[in-house]
Amino acid sequence: HTQQQRRRQQQRQQHPTSAMTMAHLVLSFLGATLATARVGITRQQATEQDLGLEQMPLLVPRAQPGMPPPWPHPPEAAWQGALQAFSFGGWPPRDQWENLFANSVSGATGDPCSASILGNSRLSPNGLGSRMNTFADEVLVGMYAGAPISLCAPTGVRDDWAIFFEDPGFKRCSAPSCVFTSTNGSKPALLAWMVGRYVSETEDDSSVEAIKRFLYPRLFNFRSEIKEAALDQMSQLGLAGMPYVGVHIRRGDKAEEVNGFVPTKVFAQHIVDLCTEVSCAGRVFLASDSAEELPKLQAALGQSYRVVELPRLAEDMYTTRGSGSPEAASRQIISDLLLLREASAFVGTSSSNIGRLVYFLREPNSPSVSLDDAGNFLWRGAL
């Protein structure tokens, strides 16, 4: 091992290092043990038998430096143009981050529609977690590239981020061409979110985590009325001022992205361990898109635990996506997000954008466990 590798292992025992990327892929395809990781706790192993799966969950391939990403991206010319426009030359020094963030936010002087980065990923047809994580990737690019950002704000498109979070001062571009842009894009200013994902996957995990932990509290500072509503909800659930374990169990259409769900009983096993660690006295908060998970988790944990969740909406509200979905559906996710952030310990899955969003919003040393993606909340970029 090089000196840098040894230092990264000492600093981040809770995650597989990026140098182990190919090894993890090989292990997962061979059906070897799936690592689960916990902040501040010795790494544990969950075997195929423990998970109760017919096949081990496969790791989503990560982008590799100098190679086209393994996920959908624009045609080669447009992709290379975006990479060149936001060429990554290294992370800026930590003492410059505040100024770089402020300059990216407020630097779009003059015509906002001429800014180097036109933030549009918040408006994608994807789930709320995906939209927020890709927004962070856009701002990450603005910081390392020293590029000003303005936000696309076309008429008639709801912006959930602006509804639920404090705006640090972004300018807006309302031009009809300033809309969510995916693999059909050719203008670099509209593809920064995709470059941010690429950089997040190809650079060292510890450095990516550090800058995202800087960004997330600044981008996702809940509005005061959202915080007050969450406090009321915590009181109604018997969680206010009490230690509890928060758990996010993603089901639904996530089956299209993962090779087998982590069984509920495996979540329960980790909840028991975490509850002991944080003295939760059996208090468990569940956020899930499936109404079946609460009775299943309660049965797996037994009578000494009390699993609670927010009052459920109509089931079709848990399958809607994008800015065209009912605002009530987004508001429910935001409430779940806040209660998971405040939990004394958290268990979820990296394969879920909500799981990754919660992870980066929580305190760095608070216990947080991913039960897939080799236990690494940084394994995959936002999709």
Side-chain angles (χ1 to χ4, degrees):
H1 292 290
T2 65
Q3 182 178 0
Q4 183 183 23
Q5 287 173 321
R6 288 195 298 270
R7 184 168 62 251
R8 290 194 341 234
Q9 285 179 338
Q10 293 169 355
Q11 291 174 339
R12 304 189 68 254
Q13 293 180 353
Q14 73 269 32
H15 292 313
T17 65
S18 58
M20 297 169 66
T21 296
M22 294 310 296
H24 278 306
L25 282 171
V26 171
L27 287 174
S28 64
F29 277 93
L30 290 177
T33 55
L34 171 67
T36 61
R38 177 176 304 165
V39 175
I41 301 174
T42 304
R43 182 186 298 170
Q44 298 184 350
Q45 300 291 326
T47 65
E48 181 175 353
Q49 183 177 4
D50 292 334
L51 288 174
L53 301 176
E54 295 180 359
Q55 290 179 295
M56 291 296 293
L58 301 181
L59 297 180
V60 173
R62 295 181 82 171
Q64 299 297 314
M67 299 179 64
W71 28 264
H73 58 283
E76 187 64 14
W79 175 243
Q80 290 300 325
L83 288 179
Q84 292 172 13
F86 306 114
S87 177
F88 181 78
W91 301 110
R94 176 63 180 82
D95 60 2
Q96 296 180 14
W97 289 2
E98 287 288 0
N99 286 337
L100 287 169
F101 176 75
N103 291 338
S104 291
V105 168
S106 61
T109 56
D111 178 12
C113 297
S114 298
S116 300
I117 296 175
L118 297 174
N120 63 92
S121 61
R122 312 168 340 281
L123 311 178
S124 85
N126 299 325
L128 186 141
S130 171
R131 286 179 276 141
M132 299 306 105
N133 286 328
T134 49
F135 181 30
D137 284 341
E138 288 173 324
V139 181
L140 178 149
V141 172
M143 284 187 61
Y144 78 68
I149 304 168
S150 64
L151 304 186
C152 292
T155 302
V157 179
R158 192 181 79 238
D159 182 355
D160 279 334
W161 175 79
I163 293 172
F164 302 120
F165 301 103
E166 297 287 353
D167 186 345
F170 287 104
K171 304 294 191 299
R172 299 294 199 276
C173 172
S174 58
S177 60
C178 198
V179 293
F180 174 66
T181 303
S182 185
T183 57
N184 61 336
S186 60
K187 186 176 181 180
L190 293 166
L191 295 173
W193 70 268
M194 205 175 292
V195 176
R197 176 184 179 183
Y198 180 81
V199 170
S200 294
E201 292 188 6
T202 56
E203 294 304 312
D204 174 70
D205 278 357
S206 61
S207 299
V208 174
E209 174 160 4
I211 198 163
K212 287 196 172 183
R213 285 199 177 278
F214 168 85
L215 279 176
Y216 273 61
R218 289 162 176 79
L219 285 180
F220 308 116
N221 179 21
F222 295 91
R223 290 184 177 275
S224 58
E225 62 270 22
I226 302 297
K227 295 177 184 177
E228 292 170 3
L231 285 174
D232 289 341
Q233 291 165 330
M234 290 173 69
S235 296
Q236 293 170 17
L237 294 173
L239 302 175
M242 300 292 183
Y244 64 93
V245 175
V247 55
H248 177 245
I249 302 181
R250 178 74 159 86
R251 299 304 193 209
D253 60 359
K254 184 55 66 173
E256 299 172 5
E257 300 175 24
V258 297
N259 183 33
F261 286 132
V262 177
T264 307
K265 66 179 182 181
V266 177
F267 281 92
Q269 292 164 5
H270 286 269
I271 290 169
V272 170
D273 291 342
L274 289 168
C275 191
T276 299
E277 181 189 350
V278 302
S279 302
C280 85
R283 288 179 289 267
V284 178
F285 172 72
L286 170 66
S288 179
D289 57 346
S290 171
E292 298 177 359
E293 286 305 316
L294 189 146
K296 289 169 63 176
L297 185 60
Q298 184 67 70
L301 288 170
Q303 295 181 354
S304 59
Y305 289 81
R306 177 173 176 263
V307 183
V308 297
E309 64 180 356
L310 294 175
R312 294 195 67 81
L313 305 176
E315 283 306 301
D316 60 358
M317 298 283 268
Y318 295 91
T319 61
T320 58
R321 299 287 183 271
S323 59
S325 62
E327 184 179 319
S330 294
R331 196 168 289 275
Q332 179 88 340
I333 296 173
I334 289 295
S335 297
D336 280 338
L337 183 63
L338 237 172
L339 268 67
L340 292 172
R341 187 194 72 172
E342 295 301 309
S344 305
F346 169 65
V347 56
T349 48
S350 169
S351 61
S352 165
N353 269 288
I354 291 295
R356 299 198 296 280
L357 184 53
V358 171
Y359 177 75
F360 287 120
L361 286 173
R362 287 173 56 77
E363 291 297 321
N365 294 321
S366 59
S368 298
V369 179
S370 172
L371 297 183
D372 64 8
D373 284 351
N376 185 357
F377 279 104
L378 285 95
W379 180 265
R380 65 179 75 196
L383 7 145

